[in-house]
Amino acid sequence: MMLRGVLHVGFTVANMDRSVEFYTRLFGIEPFVHRVYEDNYISQLVGYAGARLDTALYNIPHSDTVLELIQYLEPKGMPVNTETKNPGTAHLCLATTDLHADFNRMVELGATPRSEGPVKITSGINQGLRVCYFRDHDGITIELLEART
């Protein structure tokens, strides 16, 4: 294979304005691209005639990965069940050097925690670290994992 790494991770959202507000506050930066795509190649790419996509791209701080948010203006989509147990769902894992502070900040931003607080990892490659899951307004799971010191 000739693969050369991860360029971006994308999630479809229901309301771009709400998502841009959340992720701008989370990352502390504005998206470096925020525009509507309606070129013919977009329809060919996604497989929907007449597709119109509102997109926002963020450089995830302290990372080489880009977060792409997409709202389908045409055709309209329907929410899916994003429970993490369901095949095909995904999540975004972010490293943090202050898990307790970022846990509280995520709650203040409107994310819903899946646990009462950070959970200590008791086995595996991240044993001894702490972790937590959140849901954003679209049900996208965001994992915060304590960075190794």
Side-chain angles (χ1 to χ4, degrees), residues 42-103:
I42 292 294
S43 292
Q44 292 174 352
L45 172 67
V46 299
Y48 301 117
R52 292 182 62 241
L53 282 58
D54 187 0
T55 62
L57 300 172
Y58 287 90
N59 286 313
I60 297 175
H62 309 289
S63 167
D64 293 330
T65 304
V66 169
L67 174 65
E68 178 182 37
L69 303 175
I70 305 166
Q71 179 183 353
Y72 277 75
L73 303 173
E74 292 296 331
K76 298 280 186 196
M78 295 185 342
V80 297
N81 185 334
T82 58
E83 281 293 330
T84 56
K85 64 183 178 179
N86 291 335
T89 60
H91 70 277
L92 176 65
C93 182
L94 302 170
T96 176
T97 57
D98 191 340
L99 186 58
H100 283 292
D102 282 333
F103 183 96

Side-chain angles (χ1 to χ4, degrees), residues 4-127:
R4 295 289 185 255
V6 175
L7 298 178
H8 72 268
V9 175
F11 292 100
T12 301
V13 300
N15 181 312
M16 185 59 75
D17 292 337
R18 180 181 66 195
S19 293
V20 164
E21 179 183 346
F22 176 83
Y23 286 94
T24 296
R25 290 177 62 205
L26 175 62
F27 296 142
I29 57 171
E30 296 285 330
F32 68 89
V33 170
H34 185 186
R35 68 170 281 218
V36 173
Y37 287 90
E38 49 194 342
D39 306 292
N40 187 48
Y41 87 90
I42 292 294
S43 292
Q44 292 174 352
L45 172 67
V46 299
Y48 301 117
R52 292 182 62 241
L53 282 58
D54 187 0
T55 62
L57 300 172
Y58 287 90
N59 286 313
I60 297 175
H62 309 289
S63 167
D64 293 330
T65 304
V66 169
L67 174 65
E68 178 182 37
L69 303 175
I70 305 166
Q71 179 183 353
Y72 277 75
L73 303 173
E74 292 296 331
K76 298 280 186 196
M78 295 185 342
V80 297
N81 185 334
T82 58
E83 281 293 330
T84 56
K85 64 183 178 179
N86 291 335
T89 60
H91 70 277
L92 176 65
C93 182
L94 302 170
T96 176
T97 57
D98 191 340
L99 186 58
H100 283 292
D102 282 333
F103 183 96
N104 293 331
R105 195 163 75 83
M106 290 287 285
V107 171
E108 289 170 11
L109 292 173
T112 304
R114 299 290 292 197
S115 58
E116 292 181 20
V119 175
K120 187 169 184 175
I121 300 169
T122 60
S123 65
I125 62 170
N126 291 315
Q127 183 174 353

